[in-house]
Amino acid sequence: MPRLRSRLLLSVAAVTSLSLGLTACGSDDGSGTAAAKGTVVVGTVSNGAAKETSIKVSEVASIRAELPKDVLDSGQLVVGLGFLPAGSAPLGYIGSDQKTITGSEPDLSRLIAAVFGLQPVLDNATWDNLFVGIDSGKTDVGFSNITDTEERKQKYDFASYREDNLGFEVRKDDTWNFTGDYEQLAGKTVAVGSGTNQEKILLEWQSKLKAEGKTLAIKYYQTSNSIYLALDSGKIDATFEPNPEVAYHVTKTGAPRRPPAARARTPERARACRV
């Protein structure tokens, strides 16, 4: 069995009872804004996505003692992120200083490193290379909106910390709302990230529709900018992404409103349909 450090993923499938007392490409030392020992600064250079806040975090000896000796001896927690090439606000992206990895995922990893009494080192990669880093032992833990699917649990150990919600985003002038019935996707063209849990779900729905003689076209793009250009131009009908990313983008692009039936947010250019 591989060492623990090459198998642990922090996932988004559920909320855990773990209490913590509550960034350019490549890697950084994870520190963001300089802080005194025992203090973690979150929300750094987040370009308005969060308020910069200093949080006192105490090392917890009983939790630290559970770590592999080689991790403790290194003095570092090497965190694998999968937000290249363009980032995924507010989950993980390059801050307004053009170098610091910021967002909810890297900030939470900084808090966890502090509980361990370790210095966080953030290694930002593409989604696929995130798992390469974990498998090779380059990183100690993956922390990047990773859903703990049954397939992934055959290979990795998980520590879940929040509920996994996904959402569709459509143009504001599109009256389509998703109610949970995959039949509504018949004839649609939807963008999704390769290798993601939302892709797996879409492919399952596509297969069901095909068996009924119906179509669902799935498109792949390298960056979020490319997705939104395709959405604006009508090349795709929707994009299927983690709900925090969808909700953030919709809120940033205009004043939101909530249609009672869909509980959706409607800005100037897009609407979110929560799954």
Side-chain angles (χ1 to χ4, degrees), residues 81-82 123 125-136 138-139:
L81 302 170
D123 186 82
T126 62
W127 177 254
D128 290 341
N129 283 328
L130 161 66
F131 293 95
V132 172
I134 297 166
D135 294 342
S136 68
K138 177 185 177 183
T139 56

Side-chain angles (χ1 to χ4, degrees), residues 15-267:
V15 179
T16 178
S17 61
L18 172 66
S19 174
L20 302 176
L22 320 169
T23 84
C25 301
S27 63
D28 69 20
D29 65 3
S31 59
T33 299
K37 184 175 177 58
T39 300
V40 178
V41 181
V42 299
T44 303
V45 294
S46 63
N47 199 25
K51 180 181 179 180
E52 184 173 309
T53 305
S54 296
I55 302 175
K56 291 288 186 181
V57 183
S58 299
E59 177 184 321
V60 181
S62 60
I63 297 177
R64 176 183 167 87
E66 297 295 321
L67 294 174
K69 185 177 183 301
D70 58 342
V71 176
L72 291 175
D73 290 346
S74 74
Q76 298 177 333
L77 183 69
V78 184
V79 178
L81 302 170
F83 295 116
L84 291 181
S88 178
L91 296 172
Y93 56 105
I94 303 303
S96 55
D97 65 351
Q98 303 304 311
K99 63 179 182 179
T100 301
I101 305 174
T102 192
S104 59
E105 302 288 81
D107 276 350
L108 194 49
S109 75
R110 292 178 173 109
L111 293 168
I112 288 176
V115 171
F116 292 154
L118 300 174
Q119 174 69 23
V121 175
L122 308 187
D123 186 82
N124 197 15
T126 62
W127 177 254
D128 290 341
N129 283 328
L130 161 66
F131 293 95
V132 172
I134 297 166
D135 294 342
S136 68
K138 177 185 177 183
T139 56
D140 300 316
V141 59
F143 210 129
S144 197
N145 196 68
I146 305 170
T147 305
D148 64 344
T149 64
E150 292 302 316
E151 182 179 3
R152 289 175 184 159
K153 284 192 287 189
Q154 295 177 16
K155 187 174 184 180
Y156 304 106
D157 296 322
F158 283 86
S160 300
Y161 57 92
R162 64 176 169 82
E163 187 177 33
D164 184 20
N165 288 316
L166 302 173
F168 287 98
E169 186 172 355
V170 299
R171 293 181 303 278
K172 182 181 179 180
D173 59 2
D174 189 337
T175 60
W176 183 78
N177 283 309
F178 186 69
T179 62
D181 182 3
Y182 73 90
E183 296 277 4
Q184 291 181 274
L185 292 164
K188 299 290 186 182
T189 300
V190 181
V192 73
S194 177
T196 62
N197 188 49
Q198 53 267 27
E199 180 198 30
K200 178 177 179 290
I201 293 170
L202 269 189
L203 289 173
E204 290 174 354
W205 286 339
Q206 183 187 55
S207 179
K208 290 181 178 180
L209 289 170
K210 184 177 180 180
E212 299 171 7
K214 302 172 184 177
T215 62
L216 166 59
I218 300 176
K219 298 291 185 180
Y220 300 92
Y221 297 89
Q222 291 299 312
T223 67
S224 56
N225 285 339
S226 297
I227 292 174
Y228 292 125
L229 285 173
L231 187 61
D232 287 343
S233 66
K235 291 182 178 179
I236 60 174
D237 298 300
T239 179
F240 191 32
E241 305 290 347
N243 195 63
E245 180 180 352
V246 170
Y248 177 78
H249 179 259
V250 168
T251 301
K252 291 290 285 185
T253 55
R257 67 177 176 83
R258 288 179 177 271
R263 298 176 61 191
R265 293 178 179 270
T266 306

